[in-house]
Amino acid sequence: MIQQTLVLIKPDGLAKSLTGNILAKFTETRLEIVACKMIRVSESLAQEHYKFLNDKPFFSELIKYLQGEFHSRKKVMAMVYWGEDAIGKVRQVCGATNPEEADPVSIRGSYGRITTSGVYENVIHASSDDKEAEREIKLWFEPHEIIIDCYPTKATREVFERITWETASV
Ligand code: UDP
Ligand code: MG
């Protein structure tokens, strides 16, 4: 089945300069990147992303972690991967949630760690099923930022202020 899935390189992955290594591991999957951007994560975005974990003891640490509070890089790299069985293939390359239990050649097994406060700094996020992928892709991306039509869209007319370049490119 053709699927799309959200991948985030978390702040620890960026602080450790792992972007190239991570993208190289994903090339094995032969999936396509159909959206990609850097984002400074607000508290509300982090809380919405992890809302199903809000009763866990590590929730507040997890929100700070995703916002980059523990690292020198206060940003994440968000991507949408697309292709045959994208969700399972990406999760396979990521490895298990707990970096100690993850396959050593997986991204989390190679680069993740458990902090002294108990949070798994596991370098990467990947959607775990179709429903989660749809919720997360719609949370992190606008339709025009994705180069394929993955979910139905609608046109709305809004009036708002927009920041543009002060001078045109020459
Ligand atoms: N997490 C943690 N301790 C746990 C479980 C999860 O620190 O016992 C963190 C970890 O960073 C993980 C994230 O919370 O990636 C989301 O947890 P989930 O169970 O959704 O795992 P994932 O889908 O990321 O493998
Ligand atoms: Mg999850």
Side-chain angles (χ1 to χ4, degrees), residues 10 49-50 53 56 58 61-62 65 91 94-99 108 114-115 118-128 132 136:
K10 295 176 174 179
H49 178 75
Y50 279 133
L53 298 174
K56 301 285 186 212
F58 56 83
E61 293 278 300
L62 180 60
Y65 163 42
R91 292 279 299 190
C94 281
T97 307
N98 180 340
R108 288 165 163 181
I114 302 177
T115 66
V119 173
Y120 302 162
E121 284 188 2
N122 53 11
V123 179
I124 199 148
H125 165 82
S127 313
S128 56
E132 189 174 276
E136 294 177 348

Side-chain angles (χ1 to χ4, degrees), residues 50-93:
Y50 279 133
K51 71 176 176 186
F52 297 115
L53 298 174
N54 68 5
D55 57 346
K56 301 285 186 212
F58 56 83
F59 182 69
S60 67
E61 293 278 300
L62 180 60
I63 297 310
K64 286 194 203 137
Y65 163 42
L66 193 63
Q67 288 189 267
E69 295 294 319
F70 304 133
H71 295 91
S72 55
R73 300 290 188 280
K74 292 194 178 16
K75 58 190 175 187
V76 308
M77 186 166 162
M79 293 174 282
V80 178
Y81 271 87
W82 175 85
E84 187 66 31
D85 296 326
I87 293 172
K89 283 180 182 163
V90 165
R91 292 279 299 190
Q92 178 81 34
V93 176

